[in-house]
Amino acid sequence: MDIILVDNYRELSENAAAIVADEVNRRQTPVLGLATGSTPEGMYAQLIKKFQKKKVDFSNSITFNLDEYAGLSPEHPQSYHYYMYRNFFDHINIKPRNINIPYCEDQDIDDACREYDRKIIEAGGIDLQILGIGINGHIGFNEPGEYLYTGTHLVDLTEETIDANSRFFNSREDVPQQAITMGVGSIMHAEKILVMACGKNKARAIQLMCCGKVTTKLPASLLQLHRSVTLLADREAASLL
Ligand code: F6R
């Protein structure tokens, strides 16, 4: 695992944006796996700046988001659909048909998940997967547990995740209890993975991700088995390494 240490959030965002832009510029049809949450917000802002300066072109990019809350409409301000359009897609030249975010409205949930996996395979798999990390070590919404799923699936969010994400909602009761997430198989099949982490509250998860046992009880620890992972972290998140 390569580790890039930065001093602050701005540097974290600039470094991440440079890595994504390089990947997009050197491929004919870049396939990006994208994350939401507070960590990559600055990266999206930097990528928009690069796009405006004509330093990166997303016209051939295909994107797959990691996850979405179950039961929130795409128009809901806390949905990951809303987040992605507001923070990124509305400001770049990606083709709408190339944007993929897990969603299930009228369809059977298993069918929706299989279709998502099929689309990832059809696109040739993910070239660069961006990940944040939960304080409990989750990646996407693959929560710690006795077992993990390889494909896209419906997941019950843990109390820790509901607590952590309640900061985005009016109250804890408003946080959905379930989500659709890409499975660890799709993540692990990505050619390259970039994990972004900032802040003291991620230090323990980052320590276990890099140096702990490989265990389903800390899903990010599986990344030790991947051949091309870069951890981009500020000094606080990396303080226990
Ligand atoms: C979001 C996602 C999650 C977040 C993680 C960290 O799409 O997949 O795994 O990356 O919960 O969230 P933040 O960045 O808000 O600390």
Side-chain angles (χ1 to χ4, degrees), residues 74-98:
E75 293 78 33
H76 191 289
Q78 298 312 331
S79 76
Y80 289 164
H81 280 74
Y82 190 92
Y83 171 109
M84 286 307 302
Y85 282 87
R86 191 196 49 198
N87 288 311
F88 194 38
F89 297 143
D90 281 345
H91 311 281
I92 59 168
N93 65 340
I94 188 166
K95 296 188 176 85
R97 66 167 183 273
N98 287 341

mmCIF file of all heavy atoms in Angstrom, residues 74-98:
data_model
loop_
_atom_site.group_PDB
_atom_site.id
_atom_site.type_symbol
_atom_site.label_atom_id
_atom_site.label_comp_id
_atom_site.label_asym_id
_atom_site.label_seq_id
_atom_site.Cartn_x
_atom_site.Cartn_y
_atom_site.Cartn_z
ATOM 1 N N PRO A 74 -34.255 10.421 -5.208
ATOM 2 C CA PRO A 74 -33.060 11.119 -5.717
ATOM 3 C C PRO A 74 -33.111 12.635 -5.474
ATOM 4 O O PRO A 74 -32.089 13.288 -5.440
ATOM 5 C CB PRO A 74 -33.095 10.829 -7.219
ATOM 6 C CG PRO A 74 -33.916 9.595 -7.356
ATOM 7 C CD PRO A 74 -34.909 9.612 -6.242
ATOM 8 N N GLU A 75 -34.310 13.183 -5.275
ATOM 9 C CA GLU A 75 -34.437 14.638 -5.049
ATOM 10 C C GLU A 75 -34.210 15.005 -3.593
ATOM 11 O O GLU A 75 -34.096 16.177 -3.250
ATOM 12 C CB GLU A 75 -35.851 15.135 -5.432
ATOM 13 C CG GLU A 75 -36.173 15.051 -6.906
ATOM 14 C CD GLU A 75 -36.535 13.631 -7.319
ATOM 15 O OE1 GLU A 75 -37.121 12.900 -6.486
ATOM 16 O OE2 GLU A 75 -36.186 13.231 -8.452
ATOM 17 N N HIS A 76 -34.159 14.015 -2.705
ATOM 18 C CA HIS A 76 -33.994 14.322 -1.279
ATOM 19 C C HIS A 76 -32.610 14.950 -1.066
ATOM 20 O O HIS A 76 -31.601 14.393 -1.521
ATOM 21 C CB HIS A 76 -34.122 13.033 -0.456
ATOM 22 C CG HIS A 76 -34.229 13.283 1.011
ATOM 23 N ND1 HIS A 76 -33.165 13.733 1.772
ATOM 24 C CD2 HIS A 76 -35.280 13.171 1.858
ATOM 25 C CE1 HIS A 76 -33.556 13.876 3.025
ATOM 26 N NE2 HIS A 76 -34.829 13.542 3.109
ATOM 27 N N PRO A 77 -32.532 16.083 -0.371
ATOM 28 C CA PRO A 77 -31.241 16.773 -0.216
ATOM 29 C C PRO A 77 -30.155 15.929 0.459
ATOM 30 O O PRO A 77 -28.971 16.229 0.310
ATOM 31 C CB PRO A 77 -31.569 17.998 0.638
ATOM 32 C CG PRO A 77 -33.037 18.156 0.557
ATOM 33 C CD PRO A 77 -33.647 16.827 0.203
ATOM 34 N N GLN A 78 -30.537 14.902 1.190
ATOM 35 C CA GLN A 78 -29.507 14.053 1.809
ATOM 36 C C GLN A 78 -29.248 12.776 1.017
ATOM 37 O O GLN A 78 -28.450 11.928 1.445
ATOM 38 C CB GLN A 78 -29.889 13.682 3.254
ATOM 39 C CG GLN A 78 -30.004 14.877 4.181
ATOM 40 C CD GLN A 78 -28.814 15.819 4.076
ATOM 41 O OE1 GLN A 78 -27.698 15.426 3.758
ATOM 42 N NE2 GLN A 78 -29.054 17.099 4.313
ATOM 43 N N SER A 79 -29.924 12.636 -0.131
ATOM 44 C CA SER A 79 -29.647 11.429 -0.922
ATOM 45 C C SER A 79 -28.289 11.591 -1.590
ATOM 46 O O SER A 79 -27.812 12.714 -1.821
ATOM 47 C CB SER A 79 -30.735 11.212 -1.982
ATOM 48 O OG SER A 79 -30.553 12.127 -3.051
ATOM 49 N N TYR A 80 -27.653 10.486 -1.914
ATOM 50 C CA TYR A 80 -26.355 10.555 -2.570
ATOM 51 C C TYR A 80 -26.500 10.949 -4.040
ATOM 52 O O TYR A 80 -25.563 11.475 -4.640
ATOM 53 C CB TYR A 80 -25.599 9.234 -2.385
ATOM 54 C CG TYR A 80 -25.122 9.026 -0.957
ATOM 55 C CD1 TYR A 80 -24.714 7.780 -0.515
ATOM 56 C CD2 TYR A 80 -25.071 10.087 -0.061
ATOM 57 C CE1 TYR A 80 -24.257 7.591 0.789
ATOM 58 C CE2 TYR A 80 -24.623 9.913 1.246
ATOM 59 C CZ TYR A 80 -24.224 8.666 1.662
ATOM 60 O OH TYR A 80 -23.775 8.491 2.948
ATOM 61 N N HIS A 81 -27.707 10.716 -4.620
ATOM 62 C CA HIS A 81 -27.963 11.245 -5.964
ATOM 63 C C HIS A 81 -27.838 12.773 -5.917
ATOM 64 O O HIS A 81 -27.127 13.372 -6.712
ATOM 65 C CB HIS A 81 -29.381 10.895 -6.436
ATOM 66 C CG HIS A 81 -29.540 9.511 -6.965
ATOM 67 N ND1 HIS A 81 -29.556 8.406 -6.163
ATOM 68 C CD2 HIS A 81 -29.697 9.052 -8.243
ATOM 69 C CE1 HIS A 81 -29.718 7.323 -6.915
ATOM 70 N NE2 HIS A 81 -29.803 7.685 -8.169
ATOM 71 N N TYR A 82 -28.569 13.374 -4.992
ATOM 72 C CA TYR A 82 -28.583 14.838 -4.870
ATOM 73 C C TYR A 82 -27.159 15.359 -4.641
ATOM 74 O O TYR A 82 -26.710 16.303 -5.287
ATOM 75 C CB TYR A 82 -29.498 15.216 -3.706
ATOM 76 C CG TYR A 82 -29.795 16.690 -3.601
ATOM 77 C CD1 TYR A 82 -30.909 17.242 -4.224
ATOM 78 C CD2 TYR A 82 -28.967 17.524 -2.856
ATOM 79 C CE1 TYR A 82 -31.190 18.602 -4.120
ATOM 80 C CE2 TYR A 82 -29.235 18.881 -2.746
ATOM 81 C CZ TYR A 82 -30.349 19.405 -3.376
ATOM 82 O OH TYR A 82 -30.613 20.747 -3.262
ATOM 83 N N TYR A 83 -26.449 14.720 -3.710
ATOM 84 C CA TYR A 83 -25.056 15.105 -3.394
ATOM 85 C C TYR A 83 -24.198 15.096 -4.654
ATOM 86 O O TYR A 83 -23.460 16.047 -4.932
ATOM 87 C CB TYR A 83 -24.513 14.100 -2.371
ATOM 88 C CG TYR A 83 -23.025 14.176 -2.069
ATOM 89 C CD1 TYR A 83 -22.560 14.655 -0.848
ATOM 90 C CD2 TYR A 83 -22.074 13.713 -2.985
ATOM 91 C CE1 TYR A 83 -21.202 14.701 -0.558
ATOM 92 C CE2 TYR A 83 -20.715 13.757 -2.708
ATOM 93 C CZ TYR A 83 -20.286 14.248 -1.494
ATOM 94 O OH TYR A 83 -18.937 14.279 -1.219
ATOM 95 N N MET A 84 -24.292 14.028 -5.443
ATOM 96 C CA MET A 84 -23.384 13.881 -6.585
ATOM 97 C C MET A 84 -23.662 14.917 -7.674
ATOM 98 O O MET A 84 -22.740 15.446 -8.276
ATOM 99 C CB MET A 84 -23.477 12.470 -7.183
ATOM 100 C CG MET A 84 -22.828 11.385 -6.357
ATOM 101 S SD MET A 84 -21.096 11.687 -5.893
ATOM 102 C CE MET A 84 -20.283 11.877 -7.474
ATOM 103 N N TYR A 85 -24.956 15.189 -7.912
ATOM 104 C CA TYR A 85 -25.270 16.192 -8.946
ATOM 105 C C TYR A 85 -24.868 17.579 -8.462
ATOM 106 O O TYR A 85 -24.254 18.355 -9.191
ATOM 107 C CB TYR A 85 -26.755 16.130 -9.332
ATOM 108 C CG TYR A 85 -27.018 14.963 -10.269
ATOM 109 C CD1 TYR A 85 -27.287 13.688 -9.769
ATOM 110 C CD2 TYR A 85 -26.939 15.125 -11.651
ATOM 111 C CE1 TYR A 85 -27.477 12.604 -10.616
ATOM 112 C CE2 TYR A 85 -27.136 14.050 -12.512
ATOM 113 C CZ TYR A 85 -27.406 12.790 -11.989
ATOM 114 O OH TYR A 85 -27.582 11.725 -12.830
ATOM 115 N N ARG A 86 -25.186 17.895 -7.203
ATOM 116 C CA ARG A 86 -24.882 19.237 -6.679
ATOM 117 C C ARG A 86 -23.374 19.463 -6.586
ATOM 118 O O ARG A 86 -22.850 20.501 -6.953
ATOM 119 C CB ARG A 86 -25.530 19.403 -5.296
ATOM 120 C CG ARG A 86 -25.494 20.835 -4.781
ATOM 121 C CD ARG A 86 -25.761 20.868 -3.310
ATOM 122 N NE ARG A 86 -24.913 19.889 -2.627
ATOM 123 C CZ ARG A 86 -25.123 19.425 -1.416
ATOM 124 N NH1 ARG A 86 -26.159 19.809 -0.743
ATOM 125 N NH2 ARG A 86 -24.292 18.562 -0.858
ATOM 126 N N ASN A 87 -22.644 18.449 -6.107
ATOM 127 C CA ASN A 87 -21.208 18.647 -5.864
ATOM 128 C C ASN A 87 -20.322 18.372 -7.069
ATOM 129 O O ASN A 87 -19.151 18.746 -7.054
ATOM 130 C CB ASN A 87 -20.726 17.743 -4.729
ATOM 131 C CG ASN A 87 -21.223 18.218 -3.381
ATOM 132 O OD1 ASN A 87 -21.101 19.397 -3.048
ATOM 133 N ND2 ASN A 87 -21.820 17.318 -2.625
ATOM 134 N N PHE A 88 -20.861 17.676 -8.101
ATOM 135 C CA PHE A 88 -19.973 17.274 -9.179
ATOM 136 C C PHE A 88 -20.644 17.246 -10.560
ATOM 137 O O PHE A 88 -20.320 18.052 -11.420
ATOM 138 C CB PHE A 88 -19.392 15.893 -8.840
ATOM 139 C CG PHE A 88 -18.217 15.474 -9.658
ATOM 140 C CD1 PHE A 88 -17.234 16.382 -10.035
ATOM 141 C CD2 PHE A 88 -18.064 14.148 -10.055
ATOM 142 C CE1 PHE A 88 -16.127 15.992 -10.796
ATOM 143 C CE2 PHE A 88 -16.967 13.742 -10.808
ATOM 144 C CZ PHE A 88 -16.001 14.669 -11.178
ATOM 145 N N PHE A 89 -21.594 16.346 -10.746
ATOM 146 C CA PHE A 89 -22.080 16.081 -12.106
ATOM 147 C C PHE A 89 -22.688 17.307 -12.792
ATOM 148 O O PHE A 89 -22.551 17.455 -14.006
ATOM 149 C CB PHE A 89 -23.097 14.940 -12.097
ATOM 150 C CG PHE A 89 -22.553 13.618 -11.644
ATOM 151 C CD1 PHE A 89 -23.331 12.748 -10.883
ATOM 152 C CD2 PHE A 89 -21.261 13.218 -11.972
ATOM 153 C CE1 PHE A 89 -22.841 11.512 -10.475
ATOM 154 C CE2 PHE A 89 -20.757 11.983 -11.559
ATOM 155 C CZ PHE A 89 -21.556 11.133 -10.806
ATOM 156 N N ASP A 90 -23.363 18.183 -12.022
ATOM 157 C CA ASP A 90 -23.987 19.358 -12.636
ATOM 158 C C ASP A 90 -22.954 20.334 -13.188
ATOM 159 O O ASP A 90 -23.303 21.258 -13.912
ATOM 160 C CB ASP A 90 -24.845 20.123 -11.609
ATOM 161 C CG ASP A 90 -26.193 19.451 -11.406
ATOM 162 O OD1 ASP A 90 -26.562 18.605 -12.229
ATOM 163 O OD2 ASP A 90 -26.862 19.772 -10.402
ATOM 164 N N HIS A 91 -21.683 20.155 -12.834
ATOM 165 C CA HIS A 91 -20.668 21.160 -13.180
ATOM 166 C C HIS A 91 -19.633 20.658 -14.182
ATOM 167 O O HIS A 91 -18.665 21.353 -14.463
ATOM 168 C CB HIS A 91 -19.933 21.595 -11.897
ATOM 169 C CG HIS A 91 -20.886 21.936 -10.802
ATOM 170 N ND1 HIS A 91 -21.543 23.143 -10.760
ATOM 171 C CD2 HIS A 91 -21.326 21.219 -9.741
ATOM 172 C CE1 HIS A 91 -22.342 23.149 -9.705
ATOM 173 N NE2 HIS A 91 -22.235 21.997 -9.077
ATOM 174 N N ILE A 92 -19.787 19.416 -14.645
ATOM 175 C CA ILE A 92 -18.793 18.856 -15.574
ATOM 176 C C ILE A 92 -19.514 18.350 -16.832
ATOM 177 O O ILE A 92 -20.743 18.413 -16.908
ATOM 178 C CB ILE A 92 -17.967 17.714 -14.910
ATOM 179 C CG1 ILE A 92 -18.880 16.580 -14.447
ATOM 180 C CG2 ILE A 92 -17.124 18.275 -13.770
ATOM 181 C CD1 ILE A 92 -18.147 15.315 -14.054
ATOM 182 N N ASN A 93 -18.739 17.831 -17.785
ATOM 183 C CA ASN A 93 -19.338 17.435 -19.069
ATOM 184 C C ASN A 93 -19.545 15.921 -19.191
ATOM 185 O O ASN A 93 -19.462 15.381 -20.287
ATOM 186 C CB ASN A 93 -18.474 17.941 -20.235
ATOM 187 C CG ASN A 93 -17.096 17.290 -20.249
ATOM 188 O OD1 ASN A 93 -16.650 16.772 -19.232
ATOM 189 N ND2 ASN A 93 -16.426 17.309 -21.392
ATOM 190 N N ILE A 94 -19.813 15.258 -18.072
ATOM 191 C CA ILE A 94 -20.103 13.813 -18.158
ATOM 192 C C ILE A 94 -21.465 13.624 -18.833
ATOM 193 O O ILE A 94 -22.375 14.442 -18.648
ATOM 194 C CB ILE A 94 -20.069 13.161 -16.754
ATOM 195 C CG1 ILE A 94 -20.176 11.642 -16.891
ATOM 196 C CG2 ILE A 94 -21.149 13.716 -15.837
ATOM 197 C CD1 ILE A 94 -19.809 10.890 -15.611
ATOM 198 N N LYS A 95 -21.581 12.539 -19.608
ATOM 199 C CA LYS A 95 -22.871 12.261 -20.254
ATOM 200 C C LYS A 95 -23.816 11.639 -19.213
ATOM 201 O O LYS A 95 -23.418 10.671 -18.537
ATOM 202 C CB LYS A 95 -22.681 11.292 -21.418
ATOM 203 C CG LYS A 95 -21.825 11.879 -22.522
ATOM 204 C CD LYS A 95 -21.817 10.959 -23.742
ATOM 205 C CE LYS A 95 -21.044 11.586 -24.885
ATOM 206 N NZ LYS A 95 -19.595 11.334 -24.802
ATOM 207 N N PRO A 96 -25.035 12.154 -19.115
ATOM 208 C CA PRO A 96 -25.975 11.627 -18.099
ATOM 209 C C PRO A 96 -26.108 10.094 -18.153
ATOM 210 O O PRO A 96 -26.210 9.444 -17.127
ATOM 211 C CB PRO A 96 -27.295 12.318 -18.429
ATOM 212 C CG PRO A 96 -26.877 13.595 -19.102
ATOM 213 C CD PRO A 96 -25.596 13.289 -19.843
ATOM 214 N N ARG A 97 -26.077 9.540 -19.369
ATOM 215 C CA ARG A 97 -26.265 8.075 -19.463
ATOM 216 C C ARG A 97 -25.075 7.296 -18.883
ATOM 217 O O ARG A 97 -25.162 6.095 -18.652
ATOM 218 C CB ARG A 97 -26.514 7.641 -20.915
ATOM 219 C CG ARG A 97 -25.338 7.841 -21.847
ATOM 220 C CD ARG A 97 -25.544 7.094 -23.175
ATOM 221 N NE ARG A 97 -24.383 7.230 -24.029
ATOM 222 C CZ ARG A 97 -24.166 8.224 -24.868
ATOM 223 N NH1 ARG A 97 -25.045 9.192 -24.967
ATOM 224 N NH2 ARG A 97 -23.067 8.263 -25.603
ATOM 225 N N ASN A 98 -23.952 7.977 -18.683
ATOM 226 C CA ASN A 98 -22.768 7.308 -18.132
ATOM 227 C C ASN A 98 -22.672 7.395 -16.606
ATOM 228 O O ASN A 98 -21.690 6.952 -16.012
ATOM 229 C CB ASN A 98 -21.499 7.886 -18.754
ATOM 230 C CG ASN A 98 -21.344 7.435 -20.194
ATOM 231 O OD1 ASN A 98 -21.965 6.449 -20.602
ATOM 232 N ND2 ASN A 98 -20.532 8.138 -20.962
#
